[in-house]
Amino acid sequence: MNAIADIPIIDLDAIRSRADAVPCPIQVSASEREDLIRHIKALLKAQNAVLVAHYYTDADLQILAEETGGFVSDSLDMARFGSEHPATTLVVAGVRFMGETAKILNPEKRILMPTLEAECSLDLSCPADEFISYCDAHPERTVVVYANTSAAVKARADWVVTSSIAVDLAKHLAATGEKILWAPDRYLGDYIQRLTGADMLLWPGSCVVHERFKAKELAMLRQQHKTAMVLVHPESPPEIIAQADLVGSTTQLIKAVQDTDAREFIVATDMGIFHKMKQAAPEKILLEAPNAGIGATCTSCAHCPWMAMNTLQNLLETLEKGINEIHVDPETGRQAAIPVRRMLDFAAKRRHT
Ligand code: 13P
Ligand code: SF4
């Protein structure tokens, strides 16, 4: 990875401890679950609200989103769906940056989240003030930020990207000779840089889930399952990416399970994705890539602790009480909307070429 001499020091250990301190969600009984779902469905309808859920959220929320005319997807398509859907309230089950992106694109809509405490280690590792100073110190660079950032960081960016289009955008910028300042995921940045040859300065953030996949243990698992296809999300470290048969966004990984002939898959991303993968190809065998090991925390079983904070219980409470509304400062939102819309336009053009 390249030198990042003047970059601020980020206390990643403090962020990891914060992630590990999030308690695992409490399970509900089958009858409570049914009750919760019935009430939520009625409130969504009564409030002209639609539920948009990320693939990493609990299967109950994903099923509920689809059963009620909502949507389950990666972060790019969550943003697109929310901005195209006519509902006046969007309920975003995911982490805070996803709710903020929805608000940035739809300032006139009410954006609710089951909890406002669902953070993201990438967002936390990129405080706006330090980031803005760093950008100011490198005025010659095009600022490209991952969607996993705050509204204030997006507002300072030239481009926002998600993992599904980051490589394409870097290629596009490299072809026009632009130098990139990339934040906040160093592993995704490093992957893009190696793949495209783009000139990139990398902010040193990381994802507490993906950084914990274990290379040696993965190699051993591959030995035991020689025909398995290894699917890796690019937030993983280079020694994990090096063992991948396919590196891609959550949607791209699900498509691989559905569309390739392989029967067995080793999956290096949040285990919440297994619900969609099983739905897409029930006959296929899915194995979790080995990660940080035994422990009582979500991240020790490859699950984002903040995604896991979204539950049927807090979703119902949110709708009943009208709480957990996302607000973004209007001027910040207007600035941030420029690179977010640029991302959606770029992605739409890619789809049509
Ligand atoms: P996607 O953009 O692939 O949905 O990933 C978002 C994320 O937070 C991955 O950890
Ligand atoms: Fe952020 Fe990692 Fe959780 Fe995705 S899985 S929301 S990158 S902490």
Side-chain angles (χ1 to χ4, degrees):
M1 286 185 215
N2 59 359
I4 36 180
D6 56 341
I7 212 161
I9 306 289
I10 304 299
D11 187 353
L12 287 175
D13 279 337
I15 296 172
R16 290 179 189 117
S17 303
R18 202 153 148 178
D20 287 340
V22 177
C24 292
I26 298 160
Q27 299 303 318
V28 290
S29 69
S31 65
E32 275 177 287
R33 187 177 160 275
E34 265 174 43
D35 234 36
L36 288 163
I37 290 173
R38 198 162 24 85
H39 278 107
I40 293 167
K41 283 183 174 173
L43 288 172
L44 285 171
K45 203 165 168 194
Q47 296 182 21
N48 189 17
V50 70
L51 177 60
V52 189
H54 190 267
Y55 294 127
Y56 293 168
T57 56
D58 189 84
D60 279 342
L61 293 170
Q62 298 188 40
I63 293 165
L64 185 59
E66 289 185 334
E67 281 182 1
T68 52
F71 196 56
V72 182
S73 71
D74 65 5
S75 52
L76 178 69
D77 281 334
M78 283 174 83
R80 185 172 28 235
F81 179 87
S83 64
E84 288 170 1
H85 197 279
T88 50
T89 295
L90 301 176
V91 187
V92 179
V95 293
R96 192 167 52 218
F97 78 83
M98 295 171 177
E100 282 188 0
T101 303
K103 187 69 186 175
I104 289 165
L105 286 168
N106 308 282
E108 74 295 351
K109 290 188 183 178
R110 183 172 72 139
I111 311 295
L112 302 178
M113 297 191 76
T115 169
L116 295 182
E117 285 167 32
E119 302 179 292
C120 166
S121 61
L122 290 170
D123 183 354
L124 291 173
S125 69
C126 195
D129 289 348
E130 282 93 327
F131 177 70
I132 290 166
S133 306
Y134 189 61
C135 294
D136 290 346
H138 297 278
E140 76 290 359
R141 289 192 174 254
T142 301
V143 178
V144 183
V145 302
Y146 198 29
N148 303 37
T149 46
S150 65
V153 165
K154 288 184 176 78
R156 179 61 181 82
D158 298 303
W159 289 89
V160 171
V161 288
T162 69
S163 54
S164 59
I165 55 159
V167 169
D168 283 350
L169 179 71
K171 274 188 193 152
H172 169 77
L173 294 178
T176 52
E178 287 179 62
K179 293 180 175 182
I180 297 170
L181 187 160
W182 165 265
D185 188 352
R186 60 178 151 171
Y187 293 131
L188 177 57
D190 174 59
Y191 169 68
I192 298 166
Q193 189 174 43
R194 283 185 286 117
L195 209 66
T196 64
D199 181 336
M200 295 169 73
L201 283 183
L202 308 181
W203 189 266
S206 57
C207 162
V208 290
V209 178
H210 292 86
E211 70 176 1
R212 291 183 187 183
F213 287 115
K214 297 278 183 213
K216 246 194 349 217
E217 288 79 352
L218 174 58
M220 278 155 57
L221 189 64
R222 286 171 56 225
Q223 279 304 311
Q224 290 159 10
H225 298 268
K226 289 206 166 68
T227 59
M229 185 173 180
V230 180
L231 306 178
V232 175
H233 193 282
E235 288 168 16
S236 306
E239 58 277 16
I240 301 295
I241 290 183
Q243 299 186 53
D245 294 303
L246 184 102
V247 181
S249 72
T250 45
T251 297
Q252 290 158 348
L253 301 186
I254 293 165
K255 265 181 174 304
V257 171
Q258 189 171 20
D259 299 344
T260 62
D261 292 336
R263 274 196 39 70
E264 212 178 357
F265 299 83
I266 300 174
V267 183
T269 193
D270 184 290
M271 59 180 269
I273 204 170
F274 280 37
H275 168 69
K276 258 285 160 227
M277 287 179 167
K278 283 183 197 148
Q279 201 183 48
E283 73 291 359
K284 306 237 170 145
I285 300 162
L286 307 173
L287 305 167
E288 282 174 35
N291 54 72
I294 320 272
T297 61
C298 280
T299 45
S300 69
C301 56
H303 194 24
C304 176
W306 294 299
M307 288 282 184
M309 289 176 96
N310 294 271
T311 63
L312 290 173
Q313 298 97 305
N314 56 20
L315 171 56
L316 177 61
E317 195 188 359
T318 295
L319 287 165
E320 273 177 344
K321 299 182 180 165
I323 54 173
N324 298 334
E325 181 168 358
I326 289 281
H327 296 283
V328 172
D329 166 68
E331 187 44 37
T332 307
R334 261 191 296 281
Q335 282 301 320
I338 299 168
V340 175
R341 289 201 185 286
R342 203 171 270 157
M343 163 180 82
L344 292 178
D345 290 348
F346 183 82
K349 273 192 206 123
R350 290 272 133 185
R351 271 202 314 279
H352 297 127
T353 50

